C-alpha cells in the first residue's frame, strides 16, 4: 500500500465514540461509532449518501469476530433494518464526498470486500451472499483504489476484518522465523503487529499440564482451536492445519505447551537465541 496521512476526528473527544476518518487527497470518508450512538450517527449528513457499511461484533455461538458487509444508496435508510441483528455493537460506513458512488460501484465494493474478508480468515461473515457487479475497466480501477483506502482506514478505526491472519512479514523483526519446542515437538512462527502467527504444520502437546486448570483461558484457547478446525490430533500430538494468530508470544507458547509459558524465552530463532535476547540487541 502507498503511504498515507489519516485524519481522525473525535466528535465527542472520546476515541470509542463517534469518529470520522479521512485520507489526504482522497474523496472518500468514513464514519464510525458504537451501536449505542446509532441514532446520532444516522443524523449526520453523510449517512444520507450511498456507500458501503460494516457491522461488527462477536458471533454469539462461537465468540469469534463477526461482520456484516452491506451496500446502500442511502446508508441511513438501509441500516435501520439491521437493528434486529443482535451480534453487532459497532458500525463503520464509507461514502464519497463528491457523491460519485453509483449503485454499480457500491455493489462491486460489497462483492470484493466479502471475498477479501473470507480470504483474510479473521471473521465470520454474516451475509448470505454478496451482490457484486461488473464495471467498465476505468471504473473498476477507481473502485480498487477506493478498496485500498478502506483497507488503510478500517484498522485505524479498530476494525481488522480485512487484515490477514498470516500477513506477509514487512519489517526485519517479523521476517525472522521463531521456534517453540517441547518434548520433541516443534512449532514455527513469526511476529506480527498483532502478536505472533503460528504457521501451519506446527506441533503442540496433546495433553494439558495439571497447572493449566488454574488458567482456564489456556484450556479455552486450545478447545477453540479444535472447534475452528485450526489443529487436530495427529500421532500423539496436535498438528496445526492452518496458520493461527495469537495476541502474544506467551499466549502462543502456553497453548503449544499445554500450560502457562514465558513466550520471551520459549520462542527462539534458528541459532537458539531467545526472543528476549533478540529484543535486547
Amino acid at each position: 500500500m502507498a503511504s498515507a496521512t489519516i485524519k481522525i476526528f473525535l466528535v465527542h473527544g472520546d476515541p470509542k465514540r463517534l469518529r470520522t476518518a479521512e485520507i489526504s487527497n482522497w474523496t472518500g470518508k468514513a464514519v464510525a461509532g458504537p451501536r449505542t450512538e446509532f441514532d446520532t450517527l444516522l443524523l449526520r449528513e453523510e449517512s444520507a449518501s450511498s456507500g458501503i457499511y460494516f457491522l461488527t461484533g462477536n458471533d454469539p455461538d462461537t465468540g469469534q469476530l463477526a461482520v456484516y458487509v452491506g451496500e446502500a444508496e442511502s446508508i441511513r435508510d438501509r441500516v435501520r433494518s439491521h437493528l434486529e441483528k443482535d451480534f453487532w455493537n459497532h458500525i463503520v460506513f464509507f461514502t464519497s464526498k463528491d457523491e460519485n458512488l453509483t449503485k454499480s460501484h457500491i455493489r462491486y465494493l460489497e462483492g470484493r470486500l466479502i471475498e477479501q474478508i473470507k480470504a483474510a480468515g479473521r471473521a465470520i461473515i454474516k451475509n448470505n451472499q454478496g451482490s457484486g457487479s461488473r464495471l467498465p475497466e476505468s471504473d473498476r480501477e477507481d473502485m480498487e483504489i477506493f478498496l485500498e483506502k478502506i483497507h488503510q482506514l478500517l484498522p485505524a478505526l479498530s476494525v481488522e476484518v480485512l487484515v490477514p491472519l498470516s500477513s506477509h512479514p514487512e519489517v526485519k523483526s517479523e521476517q525472522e522465523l521463531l521456534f517453540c519446542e517441547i518434548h520433541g515437538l516443534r512449532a514455527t512462527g513469526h511476529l506480527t503487529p498483532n502478536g505472533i502467527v503460528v504457521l501451519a504444520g506446527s506441533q503442540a502437546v496433546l495433553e494439558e499440564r495439571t497447572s493449566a486448570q488454574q488458567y482456564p483461558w489456556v484450556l479455552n484457547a486450545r478447545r477453540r482451536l479444535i472447534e475452528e478446525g485450526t489443529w487436530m490430533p495427529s500421532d500423539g500430538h496436535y498438528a496445526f492445519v492452518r496458520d493461527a494468530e495469537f495476541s502474544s508470544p506467551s499466549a502462543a507458547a502456553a497453548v503449544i505447551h499445554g500450560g502457562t509459558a514465558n513466550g520471551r524465552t520459549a520462542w527462539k530463532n534458528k541459532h537458539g537465541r531467545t526472543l528476549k535476547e533478540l529484543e535486547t540487541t
Side-chain angles (χ1 to χ4, degrees):
M1 290 185 191
S3 58
T5 299
I6 295 175
K7 177 182 178 181
I8 296 179
F9 176 60
L10 309 179
V11 177
H12 304 295
D14 187 335
K16 294 294 185 180
R17 296 182 64 190
L18 185 60
R19 290 102 67 209
T20 67
E22 302 174 65
I23 294 178
S24 298
N25 302 316
W26 180 52
T27 60
K29 184 176 185 178
V31 180
R35 184 168 181 153
T36 52
E37 296 192 31
F38 184 75
D39 290 335
T40 302
L41 186 144
L42 294 190
L43 289 175
R44 295 188 61 88
E45 180 181 354
E46 299 94 340
S47 72
S49 302
S50 62
I52 196 86
Y53 60 91
F54 301 79
L55 307 175
T56 59
N58 291 317
D59 180 79
D61 296 323
T62 66
Q64 191 175 350
L65 177 63
V67 60
Y68 182 96
V69 183
E71 50 84 13
E73 293 181 276
S74 170
I75 297 290
R76 178 183 298 158
D77 294 339
R78 181 71 180 94
V79 297
R80 289 190 187 279
S81 66
H82 296 307
L83 284 173
E84 62 186 27
K85 294 180 171 65
D86 291 334
F87 82 92
W88 68 274
N89 54 29
H90 190 265
I91 179 173
V92 182
F93 66 80
F94 290 82
T95 62
S96 175
K97 288 180 285 187
D98 58 14
E99 299 184 354
N100 67 350
L101 288 177
T102 68
K103 182 67 172 179
S104 294
H105 289 150
I106 57 180
R107 290 185 66 174
Y108 176 85
L109 289 171
E110 180 192 47
R112 290 282 287 126
L113 285 163
I114 289 174
E115 290 176 1
Q116 292 173 345
I117 292 171
K118 287 180 179 178
R122 189 177 290 276
I124 296 172
I125 299 178
K126 290 294 189 176
N127 300 59
N128 292 325
Q129 61 182 20
S131 54
S133 177
R134 294 181 62 85
L135 292 175
E137 183 179 11
S138 59
D139 284 33
R140 189 167 63 248
E141 289 303 310
D142 286 342
M143 289 305 98
E144 287 298 319
I145 293 173
F146 203 97
L147 277 171
E148 180 180 303
K149 304 306 182 185
I150 290 176
H151 274 261
Q152 290 179 315
L153 279 181
L154 269 184
L157 294 169
S158 302
V159 178
E160 298 195 345
V161 296
L162 289 167
V163 179
L165 274 176
S166 183
S167 56
H168 181 72
E170 297 290 343
V171 299
K172 184 177 179 181
S173 61
E174 297 172 10
Q175 293 169 352
E176 185 170 20
L177 288 180
L178 300 171
F179 306 94
C180 181
E181 299 181 342
I182 182 172
H183 303 325
L185 303 174
R186 176 187 254 200
T188 305
H190 65 79
L191 298 177
T192 73
N194 285 333
I196 188 169
V197 163
V198 178
L199 301 177
S202 294
Q203 300 170 318
V205 298
L206 192 63
E207 302 294 334
E208 289 91 11
R209 299 172 182 167
T210 304
S211 61
Q213 302 299 325
Q214 303 174 29
Y215 304 95
W217 68 267
V218 177
L219 304 179
N220 292 337
R222 287 168 61 88
R223 189 179 303 114
R224 189 166 59 250
L225 292 177
I226 296 174
E227 294 170 350
E228 295 173 354
T230 300
W231 71 10
M232 60 179 58
S234 174
D235 194 23
H237 63 270
Y238 281 119
F240 285 79
V241 296
R242 63 186 184 195
D243 299 347
E245 185 175 62
F246 295 86
S247 60
S248 70
S250 291
V255 166
I256 292 164
H257 286 198
T260 55
N262 184 342
R264 301 295 167 187
T265 55
W267 288 96
K268 302 176 182 179
N269 69 2
K270 64 182 180 181
H271 301 296
R273 299 188 65 195
T274 66
L275 182 56
K276 181 178 181 179
E277 292 172 327
L278 292 171
E279 290 180 336
T280 56
T281 57

